[in-house]
PDB file of all heavy atoms in Angstrom:
ATOM      1  N   GLN A 102     -25.810  14.481 -58.235  1.00  0.00           N
ATOM      2  CA  GLN A 102     -26.580  15.697 -58.464  1.00  0.00           C
ATOM      3  C   GLN A 102     -28.073  15.401 -58.543  1.00  0.00           C
ATOM      4  O   GLN A 102     -28.889  16.157 -58.005  1.00  0.00           O
ATOM      5  CB  GLN A 102     -26.111  16.379 -59.751  1.00  0.00           C
ATOM      6  CG  GLN A 102     -24.750  16.998 -59.642  1.00  0.00           C
ATOM      7  CD  GLN A 102     -24.265  17.576 -60.951  1.00  0.00           C
ATOM      8  OE1 GLN A 102     -24.896  17.412 -61.991  1.00  0.00           O
ATOM      9  NE2 GLN A 102     -23.136  18.258 -60.915  1.00  0.00           N
ATOM     10  N   ILE A 103     -28.436  14.310 -59.187  1.00  0.00           N
ATOM     11  CA  ILE A 103     -29.852  13.944 -59.279  1.00  0.00           C
ATOM     12  C   ILE A 103     -30.405  13.650 -57.888  1.00  0.00           C
ATOM     13  O   ILE A 103     -31.536  14.028 -57.567  1.00  0.00           O
ATOM     14  CB  ILE A 103     -30.052  12.750 -60.235  1.00  0.00           C
ATOM     15  CG1 ILE A 103     -29.718  13.163 -61.666  1.00  0.00           C
ATOM     16  CG2 ILE A 103     -31.479  12.221 -60.160  1.00  0.00           C
ATOM     17  CD1 ILE A 103     -29.685  12.011 -62.650  1.00  0.00           C
ATOM     18  N   ARG A 104     -29.630  12.988 -57.059  1.00  0.00           N
ATOM     19  CA  ARG A 104     -30.075  12.726 -55.684  1.00  0.00           C
ATOM     20  C   ARG A 104     -30.303  14.030 -54.921  1.00  0.00           C
ATOM     21  O   ARG A 104     -31.281  14.160 -54.178  1.00  0.00           O
ATOM     22  CB  ARG A 104     -29.037  11.877 -54.947  1.00  0.00           C
ATOM     23  CG  ARG A 104     -29.121  10.440 -55.288  1.00  0.00           C
ATOM     24  CD  ARG A 104     -28.299   9.608 -54.302  1.00  0.00           C
ATOM     25  NE  ARG A 104     -28.404   8.216 -54.679  1.00  0.00           N
ATOM     26  CZ  ARG A 104     -27.394   7.471 -55.088  1.00  0.00           C
ATOM     27  NH1 ARG A 104     -26.187   7.963 -55.133  1.00  0.00           N
ATOM     28  NH2 ARG A 104     -27.574   6.225 -55.425  1.00  0.00           N
ATOM     29  N   TYR A 105     -29.395  14.993 -55.082  1.00  0.00           N
ATOM     30  CA  TYR A 105     -29.575  16.277 -54.410  1.00  0.00           C
ATOM     31  C   TYR A 105     -30.877  16.945 -54.858  1.00  0.00           C
ATOM     32  O   TYR A 105     -31.626  17.468 -54.045  1.00  0.00           O
ATOM     33  CB  TYR A 105     -28.396  17.219 -54.680  1.00  0.00           C
ATOM     34  CG  TYR A 105     -27.127  16.867 -53.952  1.00  0.00           C
ATOM     35  CD1 TYR A 105     -25.892  17.038 -54.559  1.00  0.00           C
ATOM     36  CD2 TYR A 105     -27.144  16.376 -52.649  1.00  0.00           C
ATOM     37  CE1 TYR A 105     -24.711  16.719 -53.891  1.00  0.00           C
ATOM     38  CE2 TYR A 105     -25.979  16.059 -51.981  1.00  0.00           C
ATOM     39  CZ  TYR A 105     -24.770  16.235 -52.606  1.00  0.00           C
ATOM     40  OH  TYR A 105     -23.608  15.924 -51.955  1.00  0.00           O
ATOM     41  N   VAL A 106     -31.124  16.924 -56.160  1.00  0.00           N
ATOM     42  CA  VAL A 106     -32.347  17.530 -56.682  1.00  0.00           C
ATOM     43  C   VAL A 106     -33.568  16.818 -56.105  1.00  0.00           C
ATOM     44  O   VAL A 106     -34.529  17.453 -55.668  1.00  0.00           O
ATOM     45  CB  VAL A 106     -32.369  17.481 -58.232  1.00  0.00           C
ATOM     46  CG1 VAL A 106     -33.731  17.872 -58.766  1.00  0.00           C
ATOM     47  CG2 VAL A 106     -31.288  18.384 -58.806  1.00  0.00           C
ATOM     48  N   GLY A 107     -33.539  15.495 -56.100  1.00  0.00           N
ATOM     49  CA  GLY A 107     -34.652  14.734 -55.548  1.00  0.00           C
ATOM     50  C   GLY A 107     -34.886  15.034 -54.081  1.00  0.00           C
ATOM     51  O   GLY A 107     -36.030  15.203 -53.647  1.00  0.00           O
ATOM     52  N   ASN A 108     -33.814  15.109 -53.315  1.00  0.00           N
ATOM     53  CA  ASN A 108     -33.953  15.441 -51.895  1.00  0.00           C
ATOM     54  C   ASN A 108     -34.516  16.842 -51.699  1.00  0.00           C
ATOM     55  O   ASN A 108     -35.362  17.069 -50.833  1.00  0.00           O
ATOM     56  CB  ASN A 108     -32.614  15.298 -51.176  1.00  0.00           C
ATOM     57  CG  ASN A 108     -32.198  13.863 -51.012  1.00  0.00           C
ATOM     58  OD1 ASN A 108     -33.040  12.967 -50.958  1.00  0.00           O
ATOM     59  ND2 ASN A 108     -30.903  13.621 -50.936  1.00  0.00           N
ATOM     60  N   ASN A 109     -34.055  17.791 -52.508  1.00  0.00           N
ATOM     61  CA  ASN A 109     -34.579  19.148 -52.418  1.00  0.00           C
ATOM     62  C   ASN A 109     -36.060  19.182 -52.735  1.00  0.00           C
ATOM     63  O   ASN A 109     -36.840  19.867 -52.067  1.00  0.00           O
ATOM     64  CB  ASN A 109     -33.824  20.094 -53.351  1.00  0.00           C
ATOM     65  CG  ASN A 109     -32.421  20.395 -52.864  1.00  0.00           C
ATOM     66  OD1 ASN A 109     -32.114  20.205 -51.692  1.00  0.00           O
ATOM     67  ND2 ASN A 109     -31.573  20.843 -53.766  1.00  0.00           N
ATOM     68  N   LEU A 110     -36.473  18.448 -53.764  1.00  0.00           N
ATOM     69  CA  LEU A 110     -37.892  18.395 -54.113  1.00  0.00           C
ATOM     70  C   LEU A 110     -38.713  17.836 -52.950  1.00  0.00           C
ATOM     71  O   LEU A 110     -39.798  18.333 -52.642  1.00  0.00           O
ATOM     72  CB  LEU A 110     -38.108  17.546 -55.366  1.00  0.00           C
ATOM     73  CG  LEU A 110     -37.671  18.149 -56.692  1.00  0.00           C
ATOM     74  CD1 LEU A 110     -37.775  17.121 -57.809  1.00  0.00           C
ATOM     75  CD2 LEU A 110     -38.517  19.365 -57.016  1.00  0.00           C
ATOM     76  N   ASN A 111     -38.192  16.797 -52.313  1.00  0.00           N
ATOM     77  CA  ASN A 111     -38.917  16.219 -51.174  1.00  0.00           C
ATOM     78  C   ASN A 111     -39.037  17.217 -50.027  1.00  0.00           C
ATOM     79  O   ASN A 111     -40.087  17.329 -49.390  1.00  0.00           O
ATOM     80  CB  ASN A 111     -38.219  14.946 -50.684  1.00  0.00           C
ATOM     81  CG  ASN A 111     -38.534  13.759 -51.536  1.00  0.00           C
ATOM     82  OD1 ASN A 111     -39.566  13.708 -52.199  1.00  0.00           O
ATOM     83  ND2 ASN A 111     -37.649  12.773 -51.532  1.00  0.00           N
ATOM     84  N   GLN A 112     -37.970  17.945 -49.745  1.00  0.00           N
ATOM     85  CA  GLN A 112     -38.019  18.931 -48.669  1.00  0.00           C
ATOM     86  C   GLN A 112     -39.016  20.043 -48.979  1.00  0.00           C
ATOM     87  O   GLN A 112     -39.774  20.483 -48.104  1.00  0.00           O
ATOM     88  CB  GLN A 112     -36.629  19.513 -48.421  1.00  0.00           C
ATOM     89  CG  GLN A 112     -35.671  18.523 -47.801  1.00  0.00           C
ATOM     90  CD  GLN A 112     -34.248  19.043 -47.744  1.00  0.00           C
ATOM     91  OE1 GLN A 112     -33.968  20.160 -48.153  1.00  0.00           O
ATOM     92  NE2 GLN A 112     -33.348  18.232 -47.215  1.00  0.00           N
ATOM     93  N   ILE A 113     -39.040  20.484 -50.216  1.00  0.00           N
ATOM     94  CA  ILE A 113     -39.982  21.533 -50.616  1.00  0.00           C
ATOM     95  C   ILE A 113     -41.415  21.017 -50.519  1.00  0.00           C
ATOM     96  O   ILE A 113     -42.310  21.713 -50.026  1.00  0.00           O
ATOM     97  CB  ILE A 113     -39.664  22.029 -52.043  1.00  0.00           C
ATOM     98  CG1 ILE A 113     -38.321  22.776 -52.034  1.00  0.00           C
ATOM     99  CG2 ILE A 113     -40.777  22.919 -52.569  1.00  0.00           C
ATOM    100  CD1 ILE A 113     -37.766  23.081 -53.412  1.00  0.00           C
ATOM    101  N   ALA A 114     -41.636  19.797 -50.954  1.00  0.00           N
ATOM    102  CA  ALA A 114     -42.977  19.223 -50.880  1.00  0.00           C
ATOM    103  C   ALA A 114     -43.446  19.120 -49.433  1.00  0.00           C
ATOM    104  O   ALA A 114     -44.607  19.428 -49.121  1.00  0.00           O
ATOM    105  CB  ALA A 114     -42.988  17.841 -51.545  1.00  0.00           C
ATOM    106  N   LYS A 115     -42.560  18.722 -48.533  1.00  0.00           N
ATOM    107  CA  LYS A 115     -42.924  18.647 -47.111  1.00  0.00           C
ATOM    108  C   LYS A 115     -43.277  20.034 -46.573  1.00  0.00           C
ATOM    109  O   LYS A 115     -44.231  20.200 -45.805  1.00  0.00           O
ATOM    110  CB  LYS A 115     -41.783  18.027 -46.303  1.00  0.00           C
ATOM    111  CG  LYS A 115     -41.625  16.545 -46.524  1.00  0.00           C
ATOM    112  CD  LYS A 115     -40.443  15.994 -45.762  1.00  0.00           C
ATOM    113  CE  LYS A 115     -40.212  14.533 -46.122  1.00  0.00           C
ATOM    114  NZ  LYS A 115     -39.029  13.985 -45.459  1.00  0.00           N
ATOM    115  N   GLY A 116     -42.506  21.024 -46.967  1.00  0.00           N
ATOM    116  CA  GLY A 116     -42.804  22.398 -46.563  1.00  0.00           C
ATOM    117  C   GLY A 116     -44.147  22.880 -47.088  1.00  0.00           C
ATOM    118  O   GLY A 116     -44.886  23.582 -46.397  1.00  0.00           O
ATOM    119  N   MET A 117     -44.476  22.488 -48.297  1.00  0.00           N
ATOM    120  CA  MET A 117     -45.758  22.875 -48.883  1.00  0.00           C
ATOM    121  C   MET A 117     -46.917  22.229 -48.127  1.00  0.00           C
ATOM    122  O   MET A 117     -47.965  22.829 -47.946  1.00  0.00           O
ATOM    123  CB  MET A 117     -45.827  22.467 -50.355  1.00  0.00           C
ATOM    124  CG  MET A 117     -44.910  23.248 -51.252  1.00  0.00           C
ATOM    125  SD  MET A 117     -45.317  24.995 -51.185  1.00  0.00           S
ATOM    126  CE  MET A 117     -43.692  25.676 -51.333  1.00  0.00           C
ATOM    127  N   HIS A 118     -46.725  20.990 -47.670  1.00  0.00           N
ATOM    128  CA  HIS A 118     -47.762  20.331 -46.876  1.00  0.00           C
ATOM    129  C   HIS A 118     -48.015  21.099 -45.583  1.00  0.00           C
ATOM    130  O   HIS A 118     -49.155  21.270 -45.151  1.00  0.00           O
ATOM    131  CB  HIS A 118     -47.361  18.895 -46.523  1.00  0.00           C
ATOM    132  CG  HIS A 118     -47.553  17.912 -47.622  1.00  0.00           C
ATOM    133  ND1 HIS A 118     -48.766  17.668 -48.212  1.00  0.00           N
ATOM    134  CD2 HIS A 118     -46.678  17.094 -48.243  1.00  0.00           C
ATOM    135  CE1 HIS A 118     -48.641  16.743 -49.141  1.00  0.00           C
ATOM    136  NE2 HIS A 118     -47.373  16.375 -49.186  1.00  0.00           N
ATOM    137  N   LEU A 119     -46.954  21.543 -44.960  1.00  0.00           N
ATOM    138  CA  LEU A 119     -47.074  22.227 -43.680  1.00  0.00           C
ATOM    139  C   LEU A 119     -47.678  23.624 -43.819  1.00  0.00           C
ATOM    140  O   LEU A 119     -48.484  24.057 -42.992  1.00  0.00           O
ATOM    141  CB  LEU A 119     -45.706  22.335 -42.993  1.00  0.00           C
ATOM    142  CG  LEU A 119     -45.072  21.025 -42.548  1.00  0.00           C
ATOM    143  CD1 LEU A 119     -43.652  21.272 -42.026  1.00  0.00           C
ATOM    144  CD2 LEU A 119     -45.916  20.374 -41.460  1.00  0.00           C
ATOM    145  N   HIS A 120     -47.278  24.338 -44.852  1.00  0.00           N
ATOM    146  CA  HIS A 120     -47.642  25.750 -44.985  1.00  0.00           C
ATOM    147  C   HIS A 120     -48.707  26.007 -46.043  1.00  0.00           C
ATOM    148  O   HIS A 120     -49.142  27.134 -46.207  1.00  0.00           O
ATOM    149  CB  HIS A 120     -46.404  26.586 -45.296  1.00  0.00           C
ATOM    150  CG  HIS A 120     -45.304  26.384 -44.304  1.00  0.00           C
ATOM    151  ND1 HIS A 120     -45.403  26.782 -42.992  1.00  0.00           N
ATOM    152  CD2 HIS A 120     -44.094  25.806 -44.412  1.00  0.00           C
ATOM    153  CE1 HIS A 120     -44.304  26.462 -42.339  1.00  0.00           C
ATOM    154  NE2 HIS A 120     -43.482  25.865 -43.188  1.00  0.00           N
ATOM    155  N   GLY A 121     -49.107  24.995 -46.766  1.00  0.00           N
ATOM    156  CA  GLY A 121     -50.048  25.202 -47.866  1.00  0.00           C
ATOM    157  C   GLY A 121     -49.335  25.872 -49.023  1.00  0.00           C
ATOM    158  O   GLY A 121     -48.203  26.289 -48.940  1.00  0.00           O
ATOM    159  N   GLY A 122     -49.990  25.953 -50.143  1.00  0.00           N
ATOM    160  CA  GLY A 122     -49.357  26.614 -51.280  1.00  0.00           C
ATOM    161  C   GLY A 122     -49.606  25.848 -52.547  1.00  0.00           C
ATOM    162  O   GLY A 122     -50.737  25.460 -52.827  1.00  0.00           O
ATOM    163  N   ILE A 123     -48.555  25.587 -53.309  1.00  0.00           N
ATOM    164  CA  ILE A 123     -48.711  24.921 -54.591  1.00  0.00           C
ATOM    165  C   ILE A 123     -49.195  23.482 -54.403  1.00  0.00           C
ATOM    166  O   ILE A 123     -49.216  22.967 -53.298  1.00  0.00           O
ATOM    167  CB  ILE A 123     -47.395  24.935 -55.411  1.00  0.00           C
ATOM    168  CG1 ILE A 123     -46.314  24.134 -54.702  1.00  0.00           C
ATOM    169  CG2 ILE A 123     -46.951  26.342 -55.684  1.00  0.00           C
ATOM    170  CD1 ILE A 123     -45.104  23.912 -55.543  1.00  0.00           C
ATOM    171  N   ASN A 124     -49.560  22.857 -55.465  1.00  0.00           N
ATOM    172  CA  ASN A 124     -50.089  21.494 -55.446  1.00  0.00           C
ATOM    173  C   ASN A 124     -48.993  20.526 -54.992  1.00  0.00           C
ATOM    174  O   ASN A 124     -48.125  20.137 -55.761  1.00  0.00           O
ATOM    175  CB  ASN A 124     -50.606  21.126 -56.833  1.00  0.00           C
ATOM    176  CG  ASN A 124     -51.249  19.763 -56.874  1.00  0.00           C
ATOM    177  OD1 ASN A 124     -51.075  18.941 -55.978  1.00  0.00           O
ATOM    178  ND2 ASN A 124     -51.988  19.529 -57.940  1.00  0.00           N
ATOM    179  N   ALA A 125     -49.051  20.139 -53.741  1.00  0.00           N
ATOM    180  CA  ALA A 125     -48.009  19.291 -53.161  1.00  0.00           C
ATOM    181  C   ALA A 125     -47.989  17.906 -53.790  1.00  0.00           C
ATOM    182  O   ALA A 125     -46.923  17.319 -53.975  1.00  0.00           O
ATOM    183  CB  ALA A 125     -48.197  19.190 -51.659  1.00  0.00           C
TER     184      ALA A 125
END
């Protein structure tokens, strides 16, 4: 479960880099 959460965080951070938004 922790790995899933970590992977999700990484995917969201990558999306934020591409689209701008919260502090990546």
Side-chain angles (χ1 to χ4, degrees):
Q102 289 176 353
I103 293 171
R104 281 193 180 116
Y105 286 143
V106 170
N108 288 333
N109 288 341
L110 287 172
N111 281 335
Q112 290 172 1
I113 292 169
K115 287 177 186 177
M117 291 300 145
H118 281 301
L119 294 174
H120 306 293
I123 64 170
N124 184 344

